[in-house]
Amino acid sequence: MRGTIMDYPLTLPGILEHAGRLFGPHEIVSRRPDKSIHRYTYADFYRRARLLAEALTKAGIEPGDRVATLMWNHYAHLEIYFAAPCIGAVIHTLNLRLHPDDIAYIVNHAEDRYLIVDDVLLPLYEQFRDQVDIERVVVVRLDGGDLAEGYEDYEAFLETATGDFDYPAIDEYDACGMCYTSGTTGRPKGVAYSHRAVVVHTLAVAAPDVFDISMKETLLPVVPMFHANAWGLAYVAVMTGAKIVFPGPHLDAENLLGLLADEQVTMTAGVPTVWLALLQALQKEPDRWDLVPGMRLLVGGAACPESLIREFDDLGYTVLHAWGMTEMTPVGTSGIPTPAFADLDEDTQYEIRAKQGRPLPFVDMRVINDDGEAPWDGETMGELQVRGPWIADSYHNPEEPPTSWTNDGWFHTGDVVTIDADGYVKITDRTKDLIKSGGEWISSVDLENALMGHPDVREAAVIAVAHEKWQERPLACVVIEDGKETTAEQLQEFIAERFVKWWVPDAIEFVEEIPHTSTGKFLKTALRERFKDYKLES
């Protein structure tokens, strides 16, 4: 039976108006490049976002046009997060950690019209400026220096607006945002997010059994706003009225800990490498920072070692695991424990917390291997496939025929997982990173997390190297903590009790550093290239 509910669009103007009406006094804090603090309220944010929306309209931006950003996490970036979508345009966040040639490719492929850029990132823009056709460049002057010819001042751009602005009609299936994958296995691919996808994702992520975010939180997203919607946290914060603390470009442990303490942050989010650095700083000077007891650290982007979760617990802070992808707007799972969790023994609790969590509402998951769909038994591995209302069904203007979707509409994540009877997903590897030894699969992720549980190990990445008898064998690349010493034999003995003998790496190479992708994951392609001629003993 139809016609019983209003046809009300799920679009971002609804979230912005809700915040403007109800959360005016709530605070938004940003750290500038010079480390000074910028403070203003939701009322200021609401007014300026609407001014920017009007200014973009007057400047000729039309529905569907792409407005690119090259920016750190701060108040002006949040204004653009809402202003561009609220006139039917598309905010396209550029990953400033990519190579300039890759950024130029992305700008051209997306057909970006305007660029809004931090003044401190102009040197990066100028490295690819001649490769792109940007009509206008608007600069947020965080450092307050003079602008060269051809650049417009952000504040002056806002002053072109009168404050007399009405939202245009927007279809909830229209694109509101765009982000490109990091391109570790080929050219970056564009993912366009619809208003409906972002709004439904925002509602789900805020829920008590997902991230449990309300107006009572003080939220600091370390995860960049230029990648995968900052895990949706900027939209969730505005919808709920949470106090927002932006770190700007200062993502080192000392600056983050200072900001977490000064603003009494209750929840923060980032990749494991960020939390590893914070953990080391806290262990070195445990009484230096007055952090909120029980502060929650949301971790994603890569599997978090169980040892990291345990050590933060010892300090009084809680790590919450989640998982998602650029193609998923991006969150797909959350690790908030179930009621039955309290009845489990401690080791089992930590084993579960180190998993990637359970599917969000409306996210369908299945595990597929050579035998078909695998059971949710916590043991049978296969590729994770997903579908749902905020999961992409194509890439933006694909250059090749799409192969990332099944004929019946499921997205190939490329992650090899198990799912247990309670729905907890455990990523055992990426399909391209699994090690096949003598016809049997070995999980590089499980080996890495076990090695990083050793007190002398800072980081560990495991790759496959050729073997004349077994086809492939695991090689571990290990970074040792400063001032520590250990041997390959000691590390092999350390993890041997956790795995069958044939899983233990045949060799361990000690390296000064492990390369990372722009989003903090291990760049195993670089390690495979470095050790492509590595010879193991027969």
Side-chain angles (χ1 to χ4, degrees):
M1 178 173 160
R2 295 177 60 87
T4 60
I5 299 295
M6 291 183 181
D7 184 14
Y8 188 92
L10 298 175
T11 57
L12 286 176
I15 292 179
L16 181 60
E17 285 300 307
H18 179 75
R21 291 191 189 100
L22 299 182
F23 307 135
H26 296 201
E27 197 171 24
I28 299 171
V29 179
S30 303
R31 174 163 273 167
R32 295 188 180 97
D34 66 0
K35 299 186 182 179
S36 64
I37 297 296
H38 175 279
R39 296 180 186 274
Y40 75 171
T41 65
Y42 268 69
D44 298 320
F45 154 70
Y46 170 75
R47 176 181 57 83
R48 286 168 58 88
R50 285 175 54 88
L51 288 174
L52 179 57
E54 181 188 349
L56 288 169
T57 302
K58 287 188 171 184
I61 291 295
E62 298 179 350
D65 286 345
R66 264 73 75 193
V67 178
T69 63
L70 192 62
M71 309 173 78
W72 291 103
N73 291 14
H74 53 69
Y75 67 97
H77 208 168
L78 184 67
E79 292 165 6
I80 304 159
Y81 251 57
F82 282 85
C86 283
I87 62 171
V90 180
I91 177 175
H92 176 203
T93 54
L94 298 172
N95 187 339
L96 58 88
R97 292 178 178 147
L98 295 179
H99 189 278
D101 291 345
D102 285 331
I103 301 177
Y105 167 81
I106 289 169
V107 169
N108 291 328
H109 187 265
E111 300 178 285
D112 295 331
R113 286 191 60 195
Y114 288 12
L115 172 68
I116 303 180
V117 56
D118 290 347
D119 54 0
V120 293
L121 293 173
L122 281 175
L124 172 59
Y125 168 63
E126 287 165 357
Q127 292 184 56
F128 63 87
R129 180 179 182 176
D130 293 339
Q131 302 177 53
V132 298
D133 184 22
I134 295 289
E135 295 177 32
R136 296 175 72 169
V137 179
V138 179
V139 181
V140 179
R141 298 168 69 185
L142 298 171
D143 265 0
D146 294 332
L147 293 181
E149 185 177 352
Y151 296 137
E152 302 178 50
D153 177 68
Y154 181 77
E155 297 300 326
F157 189 71
L158 289 184
E159 290 175 2
T160 65
T162 65
D164 184 17
F165 170 72
D166 292 318
Y167 299 108
I170 300 172
D171 190 291
E172 64 181 29
Y173 286 95
D174 288 344
C176 68
M178 177 179 284
C179 182
Y180 275 66
T181 63
S182 54
T184 55
T185 56
R187 283 291 199 180
K189 301 178 180 67
V191 180
Y193 306 117
S194 70
H195 282 262
R196 180 176 185 267
V198 169
V199 171
V200 176
H201 177 272
T202 301
L203 290 165
V205 167
D209 290 335
V210 183
F211 290 167
D212 191 18
I213 298 175
S214 73
M215 69 177 74
K216 299 176 183 178
E217 298 287 352
T218 297
L219 176 64
L220 190 156
V222 182
V223 55
M225 295 172 73
F226 56 72
H227 185 74
N229 279 348
W231 300 352
L233 294 175
Y235 292 123
V236 175
V238 172
M239 184 189 75
T240 60
K243 175 182 174 181
I244 311 172
V245 181
F246 288 123
H250 302 292
L251 306 181
D252 60 283
E254 182 158 329
N255 275 293
L256 284 176
L257 285 166
L259 203 54
L260 291 168
D262 291 346
E263 301 302 329
Q264 289 293 279
V265 169
T266 60
M267 184 177 187
T268 180
V271 297
T273 50
V274 171
W275 305 139
L276 178 62
L278 261 66
L279 177 64
Q280 292 167 343
L282 286 168
Q283 290 174 332
K284 186 177 295 185
E285 298 180 276
D287 300 323
R288 180 176 173 186
W289 294 280
D290 182 22
L291 305 180
V292 172
M295 179 180 66
R296 294 185 294 156
L297 296 89
L298 179 63
V299 62
C304 180
E306 182 182 311
S307 58
L308 192 73
I309 301 173
R310 287 178 179 266
E311 289 177 275
F312 268 114
D313 272 2
D314 291 341
L315 293 171
Y317 312 114
T318 303
V319 174
L320 172 65
H321 222 314
W323 168 87
M325 300 182 72
T326 302
E327 292 89 344
M328 297 177 65
T329 315
V331 181
T333 68
S334 171
I336 286 184
T338 66
F341 187 81
D343 298 328
L344 303 174
D345 64 82
E346 183 180 272
D347 287 343
T348 303
Q349 289 182 352
Y350 279 113
E351 179 185 345
I352 292 173
R353 287 177 61 190
K355 295 182 179 183
Q356 280 60 59
R358 307 203 305 168
L360 270 61
F362 306 113
V363 175
D364 296 336
M365 294 186 169
R366 69 183 186 185
V367 180
I368 301 294
N369 57 28
D370 292 341
D371 298 323
E373 186 167 350
W376 288 21
D377 59 8
E379 298 179 1
T380 308
M381 291 192 298
E383 187 206 26
L384 178 63
Q385 298 179 0
V386 296
R387 66 182 181 185
W390 58 76
I391 297 168
D393 65 0
S394 65
Y395 291 118
H396 174 70
N397 291 340
E399 296 183 345
E400 299 175 355
T403 58
S404 295
W405 287 267
T406 66
N407 291 333
D408 56 346
W410 293 75
F411 174 67
H412 291 284
T413 67
D415 282 323
V416 179
V417 308
T418 62
I419 304 180
D420 66 23
D422 292 321
Y424 283 96
V425 177
K426 179 184 178 181
I427 294 179
T428 60
D429 230 319
R430 294 287 291 167
T431 52
K432 63 180 181 295
D433 292 332
L434 275 172
I435 301 162
K436 195 165 191 178
S437 180
E440 299 290 343
W441 294 110
I442 297 174
S443 165
S444 67
V445 172
D446 284 352
L447 292 174
E448 289 160 1
N449 287 337
L451 285 165
M452 286 189 285
H454 191 283
D456 295 343
V457 173
R458 177 181 299 170
E459 289 189 314
V462 177
I463 60 172
V465 292
H467 192 280
E468 62 183 22
K469 179 177 181 180
W470 302 114
Q471 183 182 354
E472 291 180 342
R473 291 295 299 153
L475 168 68
C477 303
V478 172
V479 179
I480 295 297
E481 291 280 10
D482 294 339
K484 301 288 188 177
E485 291 184 5
T486 190
T487 66
E489 292 75 17
Q490 288 170 333
L491 292 180
Q492 288 167 324
E493 291 175 4
F494 176 75
I495 65 171
E497 63 185 36
R498 297 184 55 177
F499 302 103
V500 292
K501 184 177 180 180
W502 57 271
W503 266 51
V504 177
D506 288 15
I508 293 177
E509 288 292 323
F510 295 100
V511 297
E512 291 187 3
E513 64 177 2
I514 294 172
H516 292 78
T517 69
S518 62
T519 54
K521 300 177 184 178
F522 292 145
L523 186 59
K524 293 189 178 181
T525 52
L527 291 175
R528 284 193 283 264
E529 177 62 25
R530 175 176 174 179
F531 294 103
K532 64 182 179 181
D533 298 322
Y534 195 87
K535 300 296 184 184
L536 290 170
E537 293 183 9
S538 299

